[in-house]
Structure formats: structure tokens, C-alpha cells
Amino acid sequence: MSERSQFLWVFFSLSGRLSPVAYALAGVLLVLVQFFPFYQFARVELNTTASQNWAMICWGVLLISAWATFAVTAKRFHDFGKPTYFALISLIIGPILLIILSCFRSDPGPNRYGRRTNAPGDS
């Protein structure tokens, strides 16, 4: 799998499993990606074209990162053998869930979501 397709799989696919370390690193990257446009928005003067542009970028990043958070968390729950809908919790308590799920070990061996951790599921 190429690096680009691996990146897209981690952040946008709902199939497969993800280890605690990969989940934590993905979560940190998502937080950094979210903070950058908010930081830029906070730096510009309000009610200017620049502030409006940064506000739109913030909304776009928020929507895309919400899906990415859901996808990453779904794969982490798959590593426990739990279904995708458990990841809905991440949209409500994301930062707390990031810390909790990063601390628990995966189910050993294959499960119904894949043969191994950090790989796409068997489709």
C-alpha cells in the first residue's frame, strides 16, 4: 500500500484495525491540524476579508476532521472487536476518548475486522 493510500485509509476509511500508538499519533495530528486555522483566525482582525476566509477554513477543517476522528476511532474500536457505531461516542467526548483508547491494549490475534492491527480490513 502506498503512503498516500495508507494515509487516506487511516483518516477516511471505516475498515480495518488501528493500534493504540497509531491511534494516539493520528489523534495528535488531527488536533494540530484543527488548531492551525483557529490560530490563524485568532491572529487576524475581526470583520475583515481575512477573518471571513479563515472562519470558512475553520469550518471546513472542523467538518473534515470530525469524519477523520470518527474513522480513526472506528478502526480503534474494531481492534477491540467492537462495531463501527461505537465510534459515535468520539464525536461527543473526543479528547477524553483519545486518551482512554490510547492506553488499552488491542485484542490479540485476528478478529472479524481484520487479521492484524494497523492494516485495512479483510473485504
Side-chain angles (χ1 to χ4, degrees):
M1 183 181 287
S2 71
E3 287 183 26
R4 182 171 190 242
S5 60
Q6 181 78 9
F7 177 84
L8 292 174
W9 168 75
V10 168
F11 290 102
F12 298 105
S13 172
L14 295 177
S15 72
R17 300 167 58 179
L18 210 56
S19 71
V21 172
Y23 177 75
L25 291 173
V28 168
L29 180 60
L30 285 168
V31 167
L32 291 174
V33 166
Q34 290 169 355
F35 278 150
F36 178 75
F38 289 108
Y39 170 73
Q40 293 298 330
F41 176 73
R43 290 183 56 214
V44 298
E45 188 175 330
L46 290 177
N47 300 321
T48 63
T49 303
S51 71
Q52 292 172 355
N53 291 340
W54 280 111
M56 293 302 292
I57 291 170
C58 288
W59 278 109
V61 167
L62 184 64
L63 292 174
I64 292 168
S65 65
W67 175 260
T69 299
F70 179 74
V72 166
T73 304
K75 284 189 281 296
R76 185 68 192 118
F77 274 113
H78 290 171
D79 210 34
F80 292 115
K82 303 296 180 207
T84 299
Y85 66 83
F86 274 45
L88 290 173
I89 297 167
S90 70
L91 299 176
I92 300 166
I93 57 167
I96 296 168
L97 194 60
L98 173 66
I99 294 166
I100 292 170
L101 290 179
S102 296
C103 294
F104 288 97
R105 290 183 181 247
S106 309
D107 285 346
N111 68 21
R112 66 182 177 160
Y113 296 104
R115 287 182 293 234
R116 62 186 178 86
T117 299
N118 296 336
D122 306 324
S123 300

